[in-house]
Amino acid sequence: MNVIKRLSASYLRKSKMQQRCQSNRRPIAPLGSRILTDPTKVFEHNMWDHMQWSQEEEERAREKATENSLVRVQPEDQDKYEREASKYWNEFYKTHKNNFFKDRNWLFLEFPEILPKGRKDQMNKEEKSSYHVKLNATNSCTNVGFPGMFEEGKDYCQNNLVDGLTSVQGHSYNKNQAKPVTDNKHVKNCEQEPVKQESFPGSGATYRILEVGCGAGNSAFPILKVTCNTPGAFLYCCDFASGAVELVKSHLSYNSAWCSAFVHDVCDDSLPYPFPDEIQDVILLVFVLSAIHPDRMQGVVSRLAKLLKPGGMMLFRDYGRYDTSQLRFKKGCCLSENFYVRGDGTRVYFFTEDEVHNMFTLAGLVEVQNVVDRRLQVNRKKKVKMQRVWIQGKFQKPFQPPQNSHQ
């Protein structure tokens, strides 16, 4: 009898997931349908989606953040962390190399805009066919969709909880808001023909992606795995930690024919990029801005916006306000409001939706998506519950500048 019940439950889960995947639109919750309806069952899984906070929970989180911000890092030490930021990240990669984070294979589920339209449609067909084949296996795993994903950096995360994961549950957006570059006659030729300028890496490409803050390549190589079979596609990836860039270049999958990794400090406006402005189709900012001083973030986003071609997309995912990792900081780790330094000298900021909206729209981009992703992460062995908060946004460069900009 129990076997029949389990089979029936499995069939219902499959039916629901199939309904999500059969629509031409993006599923509302591509990986998430694990809703906690019975609090007594909270430790049955490692992660719960679509978490809604009560006013009491929000207030408690605010109080904790206020309390751990009372004692600030001394000004001279703050200057040191800013001045030597690249040193601390180089030490991080020297210690962990490329073993710390798992590859972000979830990127294409959250950001299908990374790929050219034709390749995107092809991947959607492949995912739909392979998804159902893998469904039985993933249903038996603790983490639906990508087994082992939430083990990423688990030892380090016990203290610092770096690099959140993955999909924005329970939120959808109108894809028509984001107009494909190839659908606009003003830039169609730009999409189909190489940029006619002096030679530079990727100068012959027709579709270009820039990843900022590439680290050891945990986003770059999942992207390359797809784009290396996409004619005309080229990936740029940069990091201001030279050790991280060396890890990318020494990887077996790195090939300068379809990728260019380079050291670059996005905070330094005087440094030129190895390519001209307005040629990037997509710019990826995943857990990058949070490591930058808040006073410099706007300048970074505005400069990056100039690299996008009209219709290009900037894709953002980072830590949200009152994430567990923010509330776990001790007194004396706060640099400024919602900005902290970890034990290894690296820094992290925690965003709100409004801050993200203002930052990208001030850079001249149009908001396509901007949502808070709240989840409950559970350590079943230790019986510990962690409220995770991430923010995800998609912002598009207008095909034509606003009319009032010429007035």
Side-chain angles (χ1 to χ4, degrees):
M1 190 66 180
N2 290 333
V3 174
I4 295 174
K5 287 182 179 179
R6 285 198 298 271
L7 288 172
S8 299
S10 176
Y11 175 78
L12 287 172
R13 283 196 299 269
K14 289 181 185 179
S15 299
K16 291 179 181 178
M17 297 305 288
Q18 286 171 352
Q19 289 172 8
R20 288 191 184 91
C21 293
Q22 284 167 358
S23 170
N24 289 328
R25 287 187 167 189
R26 176 190 171 194
I28 290 177
L31 292 183
S33 53
R34 186 169 286 159
I35 312 300
L36 180 62
T37 56
D38 184 353
T40 64
K41 297 181 179 180
V42 66
F43 293 108
E44 289 189 3
H45 299 285
N46 289 349
M47 187 75 73
W48 297 93
D49 308 310
H50 310 285
M51 296 304 298
Q52 299 296 321
W53 287 17
S54 66
Q55 288 186 347
E56 291 78 12
E57 287 174 319
E58 188 100 27
E59 185 58 35
R60 282 198 300 270
R62 187 180 296 106
E63 289 174 358
K64 285 185 179 180
T66 301
E67 182 181 354
N68 70 22
S69 302
L70 291 176
V71 180
R72 301 288 176 93
V73 175
Q74 293 298 313
E76 57 270 23
D77 290 329
Q78 292 201 33
D79 291 340
K80 180 188 71 173
Y81 291 128
E82 172 69 16
R83 188 174 60 253
E84 301 179 3
S86 61
K87 184 192 82 169
Y88 290 111
W89 280 109
N90 271 316
E91 289 176 353
F92 174 89
Y93 289 111
K94 182 179 179 181
T95 300
H96 300 285
K97 301 190 185 305
N98 59 358
N99 300 317
F100 185 77
F101 301 116
K102 290 185 179 295
D103 284 351
R104 294 166 176 157
N105 295 306
W106 49 267
L107 278 174
F108 301 110
L109 286 173
E110 286 311 314
F111 298 125
E113 297 84 357
I114 292 175
L115 299 174
K117 189 176 186 305
R119 191 68 180 92
K120 193 188 311 178
D121 294 340
Q122 182 183 345
M123 276 203 71
N124 286 339
K125 292 178 182 178
E126 293 172 355
E127 284 174 3
K128 286 179 183 180
S129 61
S130 64
Y131 185 85
H132 301 297
V133 173
K134 296 179 181 179
L135 191 60
N136 287 334
T138 57
N139 278 338
S140 64
C141 296
T142 55
N143 299 314
V144 174
F146 295 100
M149 280 183 64
F150 300 106
E151 299 297 319
E152 179 167 330
K154 60 181 179 182
D155 296 331
Y156 189 80
C157 286
Q158 293 303 316
N159 298 316
N160 296 311
L161 282 165
V162 299
D163 203 357
L165 304 164
T166 48
S167 68
V168 175
Q169 308 298 337
H171 297 283
S172 61
Y173 68 98
N174 183 357
K175 279 191 172 180
N176 293 327
Q177 288 180 274
K179 301 175 182 177
V181 174
T182 51
D183 289 350
N184 190 290
K185 62 182 180 180
H186 298 293
V187 293
K188 187 173 289 187
N189 291 335
C190 181
E191 169 71 14
Q192 295 174 345
E193 297 178 4
V195 175
K196 292 180 172 60
Q197 297 217 12
E198 67 278 6
S199 179
F200 57 89
S203 59
T206 56
Y207 191 86
R208 300 178 182 86
I209 304 164
L210 168 64
E211 185 201 359
V212 179
C214 62
N218 299 101
S219 292
F221 292 113
I223 294 173
L224 281 175
K225 187 176 180 180
V226 176
T227 57
C228 68
N229 296 316
T230 305
F234 195 88
L235 173 67
Y236 303 90
C237 52
C238 66
D239 201 292
F240 78 150
S242 58
V245 174
E246 286 305 313
L247 286 172
V248 172
K249 287 187 171 182
S250 62
H251 196 282
L252 292 175
S253 299
Y254 182 81
N255 190 322
S256 59
W258 50 68
C259 180
S260 175
F262 58 98
V263 178
H264 191 88
D265 183 356
V266 293
C267 294
D268 190 346
D269 287 342
S270 66
L271 293 177
Y273 284 86
F275 46 76
D277 289 352
E278 295 199 330
I279 70 162
Q280 298 296 334
D281 294 272
V282 174
I283 295 178
L284 193 62
L285 288 166
V286 177
F287 297 100
V288 176
L289 282 183
S290 55
I292 295 173
H293 194 287
D295 292 345
R296 295 189 166 197
M297 290 179 187
Q298 185 62 62
V300 169
V301 174
S302 296
R303 177 66 187 98
L304 291 173
K306 295 178 181 178
L307 302 177
L308 282 174
K309 64 171 59 172
M313 294 285 289
M314 200 175 295
L315 308 176
F316 170 87
R317 186 172 175 86
D318 222 315
Y319 298 100
R321 189 68 47 85
Y322 307 139
D323 178 67
T324 290
S325 59
Q326 178 180 9
L327 306 184
R328 282 186 170 181
F329 277 107
K330 306 298 184 184
K331 291 180 181 179
C333 295
C334 185
L335 298 163
S336 60
E337 193 171 358
N338 303 300
F339 190 44
Y340 300 81
V341 61
R342 301 187 182 100
D344 60 3
T346 62
R347 301 172 298 173
V348 59
Y349 184 83
F350 299 87
F351 295 92
T352 65
E353 282 177 281
D354 288 342
E355 288 173 341
V356 172
H357 169 82
N358 292 336
M359 187 162 43
F360 285 88
T361 54
L362 280 174
L365 304 180
V366 177
E367 181 180 297
V368 175
Q369 182 194 58
N370 185 19
V371 295
V372 177
D373 179 9
R374 297 181 188 270
R375 304 199 197 181
L376 181 64
Q377 190 172 358
V378 173
N379 185 320
R380 291 188 282 175
K381 183 178 181 180
K382 297 182 178 180
K383 302 298 181 185
V384 174
K385 295 182 285 187
M386 298 165 282
Q387 295 282 4
R388 303 312 311 269
V389 185
W390 301 298
I391 294 188
Q392 181 166 300
K394 304 178 182 186
F395 300 86
Q396 187 170 38
K397 188 169 187 175
F399 289 104
Q400 296 178 344
Q403 292 181 354
N404 58 10
S405 65
H406 298 291
Q407 295 177 355

